[in-house]
Amino acid sequence: MKPLHPVLNVDVAIIGGGIAGLWLLARLRQHGYGALLIENQRLGAGQTLCAQGIIHGGAKYSLGGQLGASATAIAGMPEAWRRCLRGEGDLDLRAARLLADHQYLWATRAPTSRLAAFFASKLMRGRMEKIAEADIDDYPPALRHPHFRGAVYRLDEPIVDVTSVLAALVERHREAIILHQGPAMPTAEGTVTLRYAGQRTWAIRPVYTVFAAGAGNAVLPWATLQLRPLHMVMARGPTLPGPLYAHCLGASDVPRLTVTSHHDAGGRLVWYLGGGLAEEGVQRDRYDQIQVARRELKALLPWVDWSPAEFATFTVQRAEAHQLQGIRPAEPGIFRNERVLAAWPTKLALAPLLAERIEEMLRTLGARPRRVNLRVLADWPRPEIAVPPWDREDLEWS
Ligand SMILES: Cc1cc2nc3c(=O)[nH]c(=O)nc-3n(C[C@H](O)[C@H](O)[C@H](O)COP(=O)(O)OP(=O)(O)OC[C@H]3O[C@@H](n4cnc5c(N)ncnc54)[C@H](O)[C@@H]3O)c2cc1C
């Protein structure tokens, strides 16, 4: 029987254009595969543009005592990303921006036993350097104050501007990134019917389909996922004491506060606050979360006048492969059902490792790169890159 719509055969269809899908697309195309990415909103619209951009090297896992092989895998990520940013890695990210070369870590009081173990951990050896009190000029500007009490460490964790990373990935692969109307879903035979108002409908026939759709992977009943919510906070105003990229340690295995700094479209500096504040804040409404954020900032940086600062908050879910008791996974998660894969990087930082593992898996399954002519989709609409939280117009600042 003649097919209803014209057919485009591809090696791999990727569903979802967050960091996982875009990194995988770039890697597969670089290795000669005819891959096509299908997004139904804006690129990075899920979790990716909410990320703080920290390329973790394992500090968080060391704090949680997860020091197995998985923690070693993440330890290689800062260098893998740095190579890409220099144009010497798996992918060329020279067009992306590094916001800071390293993250700081500061402890306000004498380390508890858990922290002492963290500082002594094998994983952190050579990845963390204490800044002597005599070298206060090497402290980040926000902590360079005579009333500051505590210890400051420099961590081997670069911070990237996530929007610019997505732009760099999209720039080279625009022809293979397609906007779809409504959630894309393959039929039982694996065909994805590509639709968009005013466009001719196409039947995409991939040999393999990879769902890199974050929370959207939930449409696959065999790919069990877990959602872990966060209540993130942003602060802006004339008295912010310069950019800060730092984890503040408390007594638990989650940093009490994780701060990264960004500039909004109007050039204003915004502090983006996560860590324990965001994890515990899921129990609080917006008003209470802002009160707690103000109290935390006042307690940790009392020499700053926080009264003119404005705050905004939003909630977002982290989507990951299901773990026993809902614990935080330390590795990317991949499930397979016949020719369909479902994948979560777990962390933005782990996207290169996820792409490497999927490519290996496809090769083991017998996938062979083929040249695919995407010119037939030349006039198809392309998804835009989403806006980061500090430029969202739906959030209220007060
Ligand atoms: C607040 C926050 C801060 C974070 N900070 C960091 C950090 O500093 N460092 C770090 O390493 N990690 C961080 N993470 C984790 C990181 O952001 C995620 O692990 C990563 O972005 C997940 O990427 P993804 O591509 O799997 O999913 P997503 O970014 O969620 O992308 C999924 C995409 O799929 C699309 N989609 C869904 N369903 C369909 C469908 N049926 N058809 C077509 N498209 C579909 C969505 O529109 C979306 O664009 C943070 C996460 C959060 C929430």
Side-chain angles (χ1 to χ4, degrees):
M1 202 172 65
K2 202 167 168 280
L4 216 53
H5 307 296
V7 174
L8 177 64
N9 292 301
V10 297
D11 295 327
V12 184
I14 300 168
I15 314 290
I19 190 68
L22 288 167
W23 199 291
L24 178 65
L25 177 76
R27 183 171 175 124
L28 291 179
R29 278 170 55 88
Q30 202 155 291
H31 285 81
Y33 288 95
L36 184 71
L37 184 149
I38 302 169
E39 166 63 49
N40 75 335
Q41 294 182 49
R42 289 179 176 200
L43 301 168
Q47 304 150 82
T48 298
L49 276 173
C50 297
Q52 293 189 278
I54 304 165
I55 306 304
H56 299 279
K60 272 179 110 164
Y61 295 97
S62 304
L63 277 169
Q66 291 160 279
L67 283 166
S70 46
T72 318
I74 204 165
M77 291 302 111
E79 186 46 28
W81 278 77
R82 283 201 181 98
R83 278 200 305 274
C84 294
L85 290 161
R86 290 196 299 264
E88 298 161 4
D90 291 351
L91 303 181
D92 184 350
L93 288 187
R94 275 175 299 174
R97 268 189 332 118
L98 190 64
L99 291 177
D101 190 49
H102 46 259
Q103 178 85 345
Y104 290 92
L105 188 141
W106 98 87
T108 49
R109 287 161 302 167
T112 60
S113 57
R114 187 198 288 279
L115 295 183
F118 164 68
F119 289 126
S121 88
K122 235 164 70 197
L123 184 76
M124 295 313 295
R125 222 167 282 161
R127 304 181 164 273
M128 188 172 66
E129 183 197 343
K130 183 160 195 238
I131 306 179
E133 276 171 47
D135 297 330
I136 192 167
D137 288 349
D138 292 343
Y139 284 12
L143 306 182
R144 235 178 268 163
H145 193 275
H147 292 159
F148 174 73
R149 296 280 170 274
V152 181
Y153 298 81
R154 193 184 287 115
L155 287 183
D156 177 29
E157 293 189 342
I159 295 98
V160 294
D161 173 66
V162 180
T163 307
S164 72
V165 170
L166 296 196
L169 292 170
V170 171
E171 193 193 346
R172 287 163 176 258
H173 301 286
R174 193 176 297 277
E175 64 159 0
I177 301 172
I178 292 296
L179 182 60
H180 181 66
Q181 203 156 20
M185 186 65 196
T187 61
E189 298 75 45
T191 303
V192 181
T193 307
L194 199 59
R195 294 180 200 282
Y196 202 86
Q199 296 287 333
R200 179 181 191 185
T201 300
W202 279 83
I204 307 295
R205 282 214 190 127
V207 184
Y208 293 94
T209 300
V210 180
F211 267 80
N217 287 0
V219 294
L220 305 170
W222 44 267
T224 45
L225 60 76
Q226 65 185 27
L227 297 172
R228 293 188 305 128
L230 291 171
H231 193 171
M232 301 297 285
V233 181
M234 293 178 285
R236 68 184 185 200
T239 55
L240 288 193
L244 177 65
Y245 304 93
H247 302 292
C248 173
L249 292 186
S252 94
D253 61 0
V254 174
R256 177 170 168 184
L257 189 70
T258 295
V259 185
T260 53
S261 302
H262 310 266
H263 284 94
D264 68 13
R268 280 174 296 194
L269 177 66
V270 177
W271 275 22
Y272 189 27
L273 311 176
L277 171 72
E279 295 210 354
E280 290 147 26
V282 294
Q283 311 295 343
R284 299 187 275 262
D285 65 15
R286 175 184 177 277
Y287 177 82
D288 286 348
Q289 181 68 339
I290 291 176
Q291 296 308 311
V292 173
R294 275 191 184 278
R295 270 207 304 276
E296 276 294 79
L297 289 170
K298 218 168 156 183
L300 294 170
L301 305 162
W303 49 89
V304 177
D305 175 13
W306 292 103
S307 51
E310 285 184 299
F311 290 80
T313 81
F314 67 95
T315 53
V316 56
Q317 302 265 12
R318 288 163 293 179
E320 307 153 341
H322 176 73
Q323 310 290 305
L324 282 177
Q325 287 153 357
I327 58 161
R328 167 177 63 187
E331 290 214 51
I334 308 174
F335 291 131
R336 181 170 77 85
N337 184 11
E338 305 284 339
R339 289 174 180 273
V340 181
L341 276 63
W344 298 269
T346 296
K347 290 258 135 221
L348 175 99
L350 287 165
L353 185 62
L354 178 73
E356 187 187 319
R357 289 190 180 166
I358 292 178
E359 195 210 328
E360 258 169 40
M361 209 162 162
L362 293 176
R363 221 177 318 123
T364 313
L365 289 167
R368 297 277 168 272
R370 274 181 313 179
R371 200 155 280 285
V372 169
N373 182 2
L374 294 174
R375 257 176 310 197
V376 292
L377 296 176
D379 295 331
W380 198 273
R382 314 281 148 174
E384 290 172 26
I385 297 179
V387 293
W390 39 94
D391 287 325
R392 275 172 57 176
E393 285 177 358
D394 59 318
L395 298 181
E396 186 191 339
W397 288 81
S398 55

